[in-house]
Amino acid sequence: MEKILIIDDSEVIRNLLKEYLLESGYKVELAFDGQEGIEKVLANDYFAIFCDIHMPRKNGYQVFSESIKAKPYLHFIMTDSLPDELAEMALNEGARQCLTKPFDLNQIRDVLGKIPTKVHDE
């Protein structure tokens, strides 16, 4: 069973994604801000990471940038209500996609379906 991390300061978004992903057969962990997200990424292995762009302590671009330096194989899906230059920078540097909130849960299924399931080599 693959593990997914959701990093978002919105409890509503965290819970919505968590419920959908659990029902889809994934293990799910949560982080409520960017700093906690970075700590979890560095301490664990994840199949994919859903990361909000605008959060306290560290923004989503900082989470993405710091995380892929340590683990370049990570699959980041950025999320935001109003994607801006931070989302564009993450996309240009390798994030898989940026989903605009409110997103359709079918978008979650589609983006996860495009991620290769091959186990990474560390």
Side-chain angles (χ1 to χ4, degrees), residues 27 29 36 42 48-49 58 61 74 86 98 101 108 111:
K27 285 183 171 181
E29 291 189 2
E36 183 185 21
L42 297 178
I49 298 162
K58 297 270 185 167
Y61 175 74
L74 290 173
L86 294 174
C98 184
K101 297 175 188 174
I108 304 301
V111 73

Side-chain angles (χ1 to χ4, degrees), residues 8 24 33 35 44 56 58 66 68 80-81 93 97 102 113:
D8 201 303
S24 298
D33 68 23
Q35 183 60 45
N44 299 282
K58 297 270 185 167
E66 289 182 38
I68 62 165
D80 203 56
S81 300
E93 294 177 27
Q97 191 167 346

Side-chain angles (χ1 to χ4, degrees), residues 4 6 17-26 28 108 112:
I4 294 178
I6 300 165
L17 280 172
K18 177 183 176 183
E19 191 172 311
Y20 177 77
L21 293 168
L22 287 172
E23 288 174 5
S24 298
Y26 294 97
V28 178
I108 304 301
L112 289 173

Side-chain angles (χ1 to χ4, degrees), residues 10-119:
S10 166
E11 184 176 3
V12 171
I13 297 295
R14 284 193 316 267
N15 289 335
L16 174 74
L17 280 172
K18 177 183 176 183
E19 191 172 311
Y20 177 77
L21 293 168
L22 287 172
E23 288 174 5
S24 298
Y26 294 97
K27 285 183 171 181
V28 178
E29 291 189 2
L30 305 173
F32 62 89
D33 68 23
Q35 183 60 45
E36 183 185 21
I38 291 169
E39 292 166 7
K40 287 193 174 200
V41 166
L42 297 178
N44 299 282
D45 284 318
Y46 296 101
F47 170 68
I49 298 162
F50 285 88
C51 185
D52 187 23
I53 295 290
H54 295 96
M55 296 181 290
R57 298 205 298 165
K58 297 270 185 167
N59 66 46
Y61 175 74
Q62 291 170 309
V63 174
F64 169 78
S65 182
E66 289 182 38
S67 297
I68 62 165
K69 284 179 187 170
K71 298 182 176 185
Y73 52 81
L74 290 173
H75 300 286
F76 267 81
I77 299 104
M78 311 308 289
T79 64
D80 203 56
S81 300
L82 298 168
D84 58 12
E85 68 278 350
L86 294 174
E88 190 66 34
M89 290 175 6
L91 289 170
N92 288 338
E93 294 177 27
R96 297 198 67 83
Q97 191 167 346
C98 184
L99 301 177
T100 302
K101 297 175 188 174
F103 40 78
D104 184 308
L105 293 176
N106 289 325
Q107 291 176 289
I108 304 301
R109 184 197 64 227
D110 293 345
V111 73
L112 289 173
K114 294 177 183 173
I115 296 175
T117 57
K118 182 181 178 199
V119 177

